[in-house]
């Protein structure tokens, strides 16, 4: 599966659509006009920019600085416009200053690698022979668990059940052919890459796009969990003593994949292509050896011993086996998402590669199923079906080891492909406002850090929750994949019907068949495996769609609220201040504001004690050239008197109001009092200046009351109140 | 045990030492003098207070307000001094304004009760007959598990082991007598209540006090866990079908105790006294009936059937049984901590009550052990020993039910006593600076909310971790208790030796015997049960002491750093601002500061986009009458140009600096840049004004980048940088 799972060397900017600069919304002409209106109101009301610039006590360009640190952090760009020169940040400046932060940055640099510049995003075209192994591990590796999943159901009905493996496989092959043909049409229509989310969104509407996206989100998580589980099973089949550590090994593998993808380095495609060829060779080896050996004896069908049929052969059983076996084709859509990575003519090359891949997939699938039929191989015990077949055909020597290693490696690469696809899907959804904007942000290694992190956590939870057991995960797997297939194919039907270019009828019919068959698999999988786990997906997918819609609604409202709009009266808060902002006059002896109408700001300093931190905050408050009121909340009358005494000792330089709080609460009464003052003069912006004690070590935080943080969260709920923290640093 | 575990109705202010006003440190004369020095520097530099007061745009007294909300929240106190009138907070003002906050306050009010005024702390003296049952449940209830814990060890050696129960019990009785006599001396010396922490601290030094305190902290947690486990066992003995829910029931009981103690209501002592008399009666009932029945047959000793001796009778086994049985005397020290609650003459009454309690404890302990001896009762199965004895003596009818109910109730009351003692111990330790100051704070119900919360969580973890099994918890129990006993008795020896008043030799000898015996029990328990769990306590107690010392060191340094000190040059930040703070002049046309020396403040506005939130922050920044610099961090050159375009459209009213960050990091480069500016002019206070988008619902927070919070935590590390959040409220 793996939606926009382009190859590693390539995945950062397919079709030029992934870019680090897309995260900031552009203003349209209307908003720009509104911005100009706002700006005009400032003219005449505040001094010229030149006045402001002369007032700056520092040189913002850092030109004349002799500070050796500055060179490490910033360099002047000559390319900046003259009126707004630019500084470029160096890599050193991305490192935090604190000791803990530096240690963290060091660990990151070792594990993840040093930061990369945005310009490091580049394109690289692939030949078909390179593209095939790079784009197909997700699909081909499914052969490692698909047939086994099918047989696990059939064996419940004993020998009679196993006899059905060939006809059911035939049906799956038909499905593979049909979906494969369908994706050939997707390549034709979306030469820049058409993920199910994009195809469904463009042709069927955003809701259907989200449904496909939600299916894919679930699907990517399960791809990681199932591929890792199956890969670990290949290892524990060969070394059974490791099987008790299945969960630990799998979690370690997921962690390694996460770190590798956070590094986001441009891996050589060849490194990722090799396991695919190894795996194809391994399957070819056991199938050919097996068929030759079997053919020497005239293809006798061995019946496995001791088969207890616990279920009868029913339609339900057949359908369950079918939907389990259909997981063998997950990943078939990958090539259609990655058309731009092919050399020109991209479409033709991609279609040919897809055809080869589907042919390989069908051959390997059929070969494995035939072998299990002739050798009477049944799932169970501590060995995978593939491992049993390898033992039966090539013995237990070097060749057996090769088969297991190739299987484990290809599954690792398949799991890795989800780590490319998932963050990119969330990137596209976030660009459309359906996912948190954090998924748009690229980390300093050009990887979508947040997407990788979310996938890692989700896959680890699913993997550990199911004990690393492939077969328990299969019921959840098919639904998500085939929901995406169905919507993508249906979207294509609509696409062709709208276009009606040459041969559109043929193409539409192909996609219609694909859509109907995929939809059938969704229904079969959802109904027959509902209680086995499919219900999780059936519940989760609509839930994800709902959450995406809520997110979208919030972003739309936020954008509307945040963008300047000429049709809406602006809140006074963005207009120019009514008092002159930069002044060099005044000797400190002038009278206080006699006309309160001129006052726009008002400062409140809440104090618990009169220590140096409090005095520091009072001095800062007084320096702002605004009216100041100190407020003390006392738990008792005596405490209030004590504070008054200290205040008098200091000289009572500023107005003080004492609140006695016999219920000992501090924050809520303060917030209520400040709000009461705010109601008296809603036109005045109140600045609450809170002394904040800063400790050296994080654990020391619990030793000081978090009044500042609590007051902040209580007061931020009120509009028109600004919170200022004046830090006071403790020496230790 | 239960260190300063005074009775419920009484525990808020024994000896007048617990008071809500102690949380704020007082300034000494030296600090006051320094405060006056600081204040004198302000004189002449800033206008008079009268000028400041005239400048206020609001009436801080809220006198002339017509706002109906104000009356709900605040009332004017007539008692306030004229120059600093006070407002008193009403209960309504302690309720948060937000919807979530109001809902939370409602839940709290229902569960915990409405807030109480500080003045609701009151004293109530108790008669001996009331004090006895109120102060003794902790000690007497130990009879429910002490003998059983001893027999559990002895039964390992079969009949030969059980035969030792009488001599070991005799040794325990000697211990009880000795420690009981020792605490009579504590009462004499500390008529205001002498907890082990206080006694050890005052006589042996702070480290020993902390050691006793750490022992008690562990001990309180275990008292809750063991008492609840034993109480639940009394219930499940009677109703065995409940035994599968042992952990759930116990956690529910702990939760109920926590809520009850958070309510902090003044419960009638009688309600807590009743279970004690019920339990004494229950034990008397089974002991008397049992002995009479046994006596009818000439006290034959029944030997339990099917006793498999798995260990030999060794010295080690005897010592293990002894230290397990010694848990029967936990709680013996409670009365000595609560002397002030007795009617005068307090000392005499307390000592007489202690004598009665020890007599009861010994009688009950001996009675139970004798019964198990005669009836051949051995621990094991799903029934407690007490339940087996009850079945054997009074059958399975109403009387049996009464015994079990009384046992469960008295254990519940015993667990509850730890909920009084633990927060008060932490209060004392926090007052001395050895525990986080948060433990000094009283909640709005006059309960030590934080102490109750910590005990609840710790006890729940221990209880659930040990599966609610009393016997598994016992090895951890004895060490903590007897560490506290040892240090308290040793402290008394030193006390008498220093005082040398009349009869000091006699008293010192009594305490010396108690100290030596307690120390023996500590050694025996720590060594013989090290691997069974005592190691946890052996590791934990020194760890707690270490943490307490680190906390104390931090507070000492913090106090030194925060308190004005005439012997130390004051940082300029607390001096009066150099520019006139309140001015009504200026027409907005004056020139900018030509002499940068006059500037004390400088404002930086970091911006990601130029939306209304940003414009709002810019307008606020400009209104502060200080030099302003806007800083934009762009992930790319193109983005920077786009921003420059918007800035020009707005009119470029303020100086702008653009940083291009090709590594896409935003916060670290900004912090580094701001620090570079700060280094240019370390004398200037930099105010960083961050636009902060405020969402309506908490989940929406993850949809917006937390630039403001991240910048805050990055910049708070630098001294001299002030952070201001200008909120912008989204409509939904």
């Amino acid at each position: 599966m793996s939606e926009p799972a382009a190859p590693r060397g390539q995945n950062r900017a397919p079709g030029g659509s992934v870019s680090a600069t897309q995260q900031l919304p552009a203003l349209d002409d209307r908003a720009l006009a509104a911005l100009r209106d706002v700006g005009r109101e400032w003219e005449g009301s505040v001094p010229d920019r030149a006045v402001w610039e002369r007032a700056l006590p520092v040189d913002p360009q850092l030109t004349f600085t002799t500070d050796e640190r500055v060179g490490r952090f910033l360099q002047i760009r000559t390319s900046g416009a003259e009126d707004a020169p630019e500084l470029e940040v160096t890599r050193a400046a991305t490192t935090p200053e604190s000791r803990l932060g530096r240690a963290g940055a060091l660990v990151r640099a070792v594990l993840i690698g040093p930061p990369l510049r945005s310009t490091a995003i580049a394109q690289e075209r692939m030949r078909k022979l390179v593209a095939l192994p790079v784009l197909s591990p997700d699909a081909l590796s499914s052969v490692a668990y698909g047939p086994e999943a099918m047989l696990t159901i059939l064996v419940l009905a004993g020998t009679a059940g196993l006899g059905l493996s060939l006809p059911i496989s035939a049906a799956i092959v038909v499905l593979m052919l049909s979906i494969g043909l369908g994706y050939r049409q997707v390549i034709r229509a979306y030469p820049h890459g058409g993920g199910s989310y994009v195809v469904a969104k463009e042709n069927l509407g955003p809701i259907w796009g989200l449904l496909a996206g939600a299916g894919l989100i679930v699907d990517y998580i399960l791809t990681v969990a199932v591929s890792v589980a199956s890969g670990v099973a290949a290892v524990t089949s060969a070394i059974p003593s490791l099987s008790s550590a299945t969960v630990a090994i799998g979690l370690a593998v997921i962690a390694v994949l996460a770190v590798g993808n956070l590094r986001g380095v441009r891996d050589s495609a060849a490194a990722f292509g090799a396991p695919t060829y190894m795996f194809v060779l391994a399957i070819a080896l056991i199938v050919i050896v097996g068929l030759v050996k079997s053919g020497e004896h005239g293809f006798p069908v061995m019946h496995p011993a001791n088969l207890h049929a616990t279920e009868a052969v029913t339609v339900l059983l057949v359908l369950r086996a079918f939907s389990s076996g259909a997981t063998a084709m997950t990943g078939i859509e990958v090539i259609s998402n990655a058309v731009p990575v092919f050399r020109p003519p991209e479409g033709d090359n991609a279609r040919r590669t897809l055809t080869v891949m589907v042919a390989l997939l069908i051959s390997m699938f059929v070969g494995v199923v035939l072998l299990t039929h002739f050798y009477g191989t049944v799932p169970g015990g501590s060995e995978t079906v593939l491992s049993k077949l390898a033992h039966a055909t090539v013995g237990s020597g070097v060749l057996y080891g090769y088969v297991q290693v190739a299987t484990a490696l290809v599954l690792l690469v398949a799991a890795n492909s989800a780590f490319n696809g998932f963050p990119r899907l969330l990137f596209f959804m976030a660009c459309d406002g359906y996912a948190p904007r954090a998924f748009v942000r690229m980390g300093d290694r050009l990887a979508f850090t947040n997407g990788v992190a979310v996938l890692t956590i989700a896959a680890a939870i699913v993997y550990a929750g199911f004990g690393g057991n492939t077969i328990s995960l299969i019921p959840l797997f098919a639904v998500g994949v085939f929901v995406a297939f169905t919507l993508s194919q249906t979207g294509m039907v609509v696409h062709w019907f709208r276009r009606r270019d040459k041969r559109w009828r043929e193409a539409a019919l192909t996609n219609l068949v694909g859509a109907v068959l995929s939809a059938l698999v969704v229904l079969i999988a959802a109904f027959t495996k509902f209680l086995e786990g499919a219900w999780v997906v059936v519940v989760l997918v609509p839930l994800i769609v709902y959450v995406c819609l809520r997110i979208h609604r919030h972003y739309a409202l936020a954008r509307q609220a945040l963008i300047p709009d000429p049709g809406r009266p602006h809140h006074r808060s963005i207009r120019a201040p009514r008092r002159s902002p930069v002044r060099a006059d005044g000797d400190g002896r002038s009278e206080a504001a006699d006309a309160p109408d001129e006052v726009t700001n008002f400062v409140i300093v809440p104090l618990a004690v009169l220590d140096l931190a409090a005095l520091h905050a009072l001095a800062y408050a007084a320096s702002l050239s605004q009216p100041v009121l100190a407020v003390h909340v006392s738990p008792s009358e005596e405490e209030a008197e004590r504070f008054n005494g200290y205040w008098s000792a200091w000289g009572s330089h500023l107005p003080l109001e004492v609140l006695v709080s016999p219920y000992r609460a501090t924050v809520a009464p303060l917030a209520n009092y400040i709000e009461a003052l705010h109601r008296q003069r809603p036109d005045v912006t109140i600045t609450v200046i809170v002394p904040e004690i800063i400790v050296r070590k994080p654990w020391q935080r619990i030793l000081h009351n978090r009044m500042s943080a609590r007051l902040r969260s209580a007061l931020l709920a009120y509009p028109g109140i600004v919170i200022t923290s004046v830090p006071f640093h403790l020496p230790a």
Side-chain angles (χ1 to χ4, degrees), chain A:
Chain A
M1 21 75 41
S2 294
E3 175 68 351
R8 287 303 295 277
Q10 200 41 51
N11 58 40
R12 303 305 169 200
S17 51
V18 176
S19 138
T21 60
Q22 284 198 333
Q23 60 184 295
L24 304 173
L27 298 181
D28 55 16
D29 290 344
R30 197 176 145 80
L32 268 177
L35 196 57
R36 284 194 192 92
D37 285 353
V38 173
R40 263 192 291 280
E41 286 177 32
W42 279 58
E43 273 161 35
S45 167
V46 293
D48 280 351
R49 176 163 169 161
V51 176
W52 286 98
E53 279 182 349
R54 256 176 292 144
L56 287 180
V58 293
D59 166 28
Q61 289 287 297
L62 307 171
T63 343
F64 307 110
T65 181
T66 55
D67 193 333
E68 85 287 354
R69 285 163 47 92
V70 169
R72 274 179 61 215
F73 293 143
L74 296 157
Q75 56 193 53
I76 295 156
R77 292 181 66 91
T78 48
S79 63
E82 207 178 327
D83 63 328
E86 285 163 13
L87 287 172
E88 183 173 309
V89 175
T90 64
R91 226 174 70 192
T94 61
T95 309
E97 271 297 283
S98 73
R99 210 166 52 175
L100 201 74
R102 276 203 310 271
L106 189 69
V107 171
R108 279 192 75 247
V110 170
L111 276 179
I112 320 261
L116 292 178
R117 295 180 69 96
S118 299
T119 48
I121 297 181
Q123 288 270 17
E124 182 194 352
R125 297 288 176 129
M126 282 192 274
R127 292 165 55 208
K128 288 198 290 296
L129 275 181
V130 176
L132 174 66
V134 169
L135 296 173
S136 61
D138 195 355
L140 298 185
S141 70
S142 310
V143 171
Y145 47 82
E148 175 155 5
M150 178 181 71
L151 292 175
T152 305
I153 306 290
L154 289 179
V155 79
L156 297 172
T159 317
L162 287 178
L164 290 170
S165 69
L166 295 189
I168 292 174
S169 297
I172 291 173
V173 168
V174 170
L175 193 64
M176 286 174 175
L177 276 173
S178 157
I179 306 275
L181 286 171
Y183 274 108
R184 281 176 61 96
Q185 301 304 326
V186 174
I187 293 173
R188 219 180 104 193
Y190 287 85
H192 296 302
S196 302
Y197 168 67
V198 174
V199 172
K201 191 186 70 174
E202 286 190 6
N203 294 298
L204 304 174
I207 298 268
W208 297 103
L210 285 180
L211 202 57
L216 284 167
I217 285 174
V218 172
D219 181 29
Y220 279 123
I221 297 166
L222 287 168
T223 296
V224 175
V226 169
S227 297
V228 169
S230 191
V232 172
V235 173
T236 55
S237 294
I239 312 165
S241 60
L242 288 178
S243 61
S244 61
T246 298
V247 173
I249 295 173
L251 291 180
V253 169
I254 293 174
V256 168
L257 286 172
V259 169
N261 280 281
L262 288 175
R263 286 189 71 93
V265 284
R266 309 179 71 249
D267 308 290
S268 128
F272 278 85
T276 315
Y277 281 130
M278 280 176 70
F279 183 64
V280 171
L281 207 67
I283 298 289
L285 177 77
I286 57 173
V287 168
I288 291 166
V289 171
L291 290 183
V292 167
K293 277 192 181 173
S294 188
E296 283 170 3
H297 304 88
F299 295 109
V301 174
M302 289 182 239
H303 288 293
N306 302 322
L307 266 195
H308 272 289
T310 54
E311 292 191 23
V313 176
T314 57
V315 175
L316 184 66
L317 183 95
V318 171
L319 291 177
R320 278 164 66 201
F322 170 74
S323 65
S324 285
T327 57
M329 58 187 297
T330 55
I332 202 169
E333 80 294 357
V334 169
I335 289 177
S336 70
N337 304 330
V339 184
V341 311
F342 285 89
R343 293 199 176 161
E346 293 88 351
D348 290 344
N349 283 332
R351 289 171 77 178
R352 271 177 219 139
T353 309
L354 176 61
T355 308
V356 173
M357 187 186 81
V358 172
L360 274 176
L361 176 62
I362 290 175
S363 316
M364 290 161 72
F365 178 74
V366 169
V368 168
V369 171
L370 272 182
L371 269 201
T372 60
H373 180 67
F374 290 130
Y375 282 81
T377 315
V378 290
S382 64
E383 242 188 305
T384 62
V385 165
L386 225 50
S387 166
K388 286 175 184 169
L389 289 180
H391 271 307
T393 52
V394 298
S396 305
V398 176
L399 287 177
Y400 169 78
Y402 169 77
V403 172
Q404 294 308 108
V405 167
T407 309
L409 282 181
V410 81
L411 284 161
L412 195 70
V413 176
N416 189 65
S417 73
F419 276 95
N420 296 329
F422 182 84
R424 294 181 69 252
L425 171 64
L426 281 174
F427 170 85
F428 285 120
M429 293 175 74
C431 285
D432 295 342
Y434 288 112
R437 213 170 281 151
F439 290 114
V440 174
R441 212 174 302 138
M442 270 190 179
D444 53 18
R445 294 281 303 174
L446 299 176
F448 293 115
T449 317
N450 291 316
V452 170
V454 168
L455 177 63
T456 303
I457 292 165
I461 290 171
V462 169
Y463 179 83
F466 283 82
N469 185 333
T470 317
I471 295 303
S472 328
L473 287 162
I474 291 290
L476 283 74
F477 203 9
V479 178
V481 188
F482 281 92
V483 161
F485 283 0
T486 308
L487 292 168
S488 160
Q489 299 295 320
T490 312
M492 289 308 299
V493 175
V494 172
H495 173 87
W496 297 124
F497 199 77
R498 284 196 189 140
R499 281 277 201 92
R500 300 197 196 173
D501 51 5
K502 63 171 175 148
R503 287 192 299 157
W504 74 271
R505 275 170 228 276
E506 190 189 316
L509 188 70
T510 312
N511 287 124
L512 186 64
V513 172
V516 170
L517 290 182
S518 305
L520 267 177
V521 178
V522 171
L523 291 176
I524 290 169
F527 279 102
T528 63
K529 313 216 151 181
F530 192 78
L531 293 178
E532 285 171 61
W535 67 267
V536 176
V537 178
V538 171
V539 169
L540 210 56
V541 166
L543 195 69
I544 293 173
V545 172
Y546 173 75
V547 169
C548 291
L549 288 173
R550 286 299 302 268
I551 289 173
H552 191 259
R553 182 164 163 266
H554 174 81
Y555 277 139
L557 288 171
R559 189 178 157 81
Q560 207 184 351
L562 280 166
I563 270 201
D565 184 347
R568 193 176 39 172
H570 294 303
H571 191 267
R572 63 180 170 78
S573 67
I574 63 161
R575 289 201 206 117
R578 270 176 288 174
R579 293 174 81 201
S580 155
V582 195
R583 287 174 305 182
D585 58 322
D587 58 359
R589 291 275 165 277
S590 57
E591 277 297 281
D594 288 320
D597 281 352
E598 288 218 347
V599 181
T600 54
N601 281 289
F602 169 44
V603 174
I604 293 176
V605 187
L607 299 173
V609 288
L610 200 59
D611 54 15
L612 291 184
L615 292 171
H616 182 39
L618 287 171
Y620 174 77
S623 79
L624 286 181
S625 316
Q626 311 291 343
V628 176
L629 174 68
V631 180
H632 170 66
V633 182
S634 265
S636 70
E637 190 64 30
E638 305 82 56
E639 185 60 41
E641 272 163 33
R642 200 149 62 110
F643 188 88
N644 269 326
Y646 298 154
W647 190 258
S648 308
W650 175 64
S652 303
H653 293 289
L654 295 170
L656 169 71
E657 187 62 42
V658 172
L659 304 180
V660 175
S661 174
Y663 302 96
R664 291 163 308 288
T666 309
V667 172
L670 250 179
N672 277 310
Y673 177 68
I674 291 169
E675 217 245 329
L677 295 183
H678 186 54
R679 279 162 167 263
Q680 276 188 46
R681 286 287 302 271
D683 57 311
V684 172
T685 299
I686 293 185
T687 302
V688 180
I689 294 182
V690 193
E692 186 161 349
I693 288 174
I694 308 295
V695 291
R696 280 278 171 92
K697 290 167 193 157
W699 71 269
Q700 295 169 336
R701 268 183 225 150
I702 61 160
L703 301 184
H704 298 274
N705 72 37
R706 297 180 53 252
M707 229 263 278
S708 160
R710 286 156 66 214
L711 203 56
R712 150 180 311 277
S713 68
L715 288 175
L716 279 180
Y718 302 104
I721 295 179
V722 170
I723 325 271
T724 295
S725 301
V726 178
F728 186 90
H729 290 256
L730 288 184

